[in-house]
Amino acid sequence: MEGLHWLDEGNIAESISQREGAMYAATSEGYMRSKLGMYFLFIFSLINIMFSACSPYHPTPYDALTEFPGYLTKENIASLTVLQQETVANGLVLLYRYQPDMDVDEYCLATTFVTKEKNGSWRAQSASRLGCGNNLSGRFKAMFTVGGNITELTTAYGLSNDGSHVRIQWSDGVISVVPLTNNVFLKSRPANIAIDRIDLLDVDDTVLETISWAN
């Protein structure tokens, strides 16, 4: 009949053979990919276990500040003063003051983002430092950092002897009003985002000073 194409037994056998060959090749390729994926997963898990085993155990988030990229050492951790802290992005942002050299009358203001591992140990993930000096108090200073190493994170912080609070204008339009406590402020968001400006305000919301990063 017109429109129908008949296959003889030889053609049928050849077609089945080709199909079985293709199925075997596909099955073999999938098996090899599966084996390869399991191999890489095993290697990654082994490296992670070895790295965790070699990493020092930090029972508190403050002890983790002695690990890179934190700024403290076992020699100067006694000078640590935590001014503020904030829970964000499954971790903790610490704003603190410390003395780099215990024999020198100089202090630094810094932040470090720390997270807790499955074994209960705390790890330092990212850090920034506003500056160091004999007297950290004084005129309004502020900065922000983007990136939390293992997670999206942006942290704004600063200090001032004047004013009662700050107004942070984020590049996505969000505005955060944050009080000054111990003459410092801290605000973090779980996102990689820029800050346009930070205003220092008094109790009447009068702008005393502004630090701007907007173009």
Side-chain angles (χ1 to χ4, degrees), residues 128-199:
S128 69
R129 183 166 57 191
L130 179 61
C132 303
N134 294 334
N135 187 359
L136 283 177
S137 61
R139 293 190 58 187
F140 179 44
K141 301 180 182 69
M143 72 174 296
F144 73 94
T145 56
V146 180
N149 187 24
I150 64 170
T151 186
E152 294 185 343
L153 179 71
T154 300
T155 297
Y157 66 103
L159 60 93
S160 176
N161 278 352
D162 301 319
S164 67
H165 55 285
V166 297
R167 181 172 57 211
I168 304 170
Q169 183 173 321
W170 305 82
S171 60
D172 63 352
V174 173
I175 294 178
S176 302
V177 177
V178 184
L180 282 164
T181 305
N182 298 320
N183 294 331
V184 298
F185 71 90
L186 172 68
K187 179 61 180 179
S188 298
R189 290 180 61 189
N192 290 337
I193 188 170
I195 291 177
D196 289 340
R197 59 187 286 164
I198 300 179
D199 298 318

Side-chain angles (χ1 to χ4, degrees), residues 106-138:
E106 181 182 65
Y107 294 86
C108 301
L109 185 69
T111 63
T112 301
F113 175 57
V114 296
T115 57
K116 196 172 186 179
E117 303 288 283
K118 291 182 178 179
N119 64 355
S121 177
W122 288 85
R123 296 281 308 279
Q125 300 294 345
S126 61
S128 69
R129 183 166 57 191
L130 179 61
C132 303
N134 294 334
N135 187 359
L136 283 177
S137 61

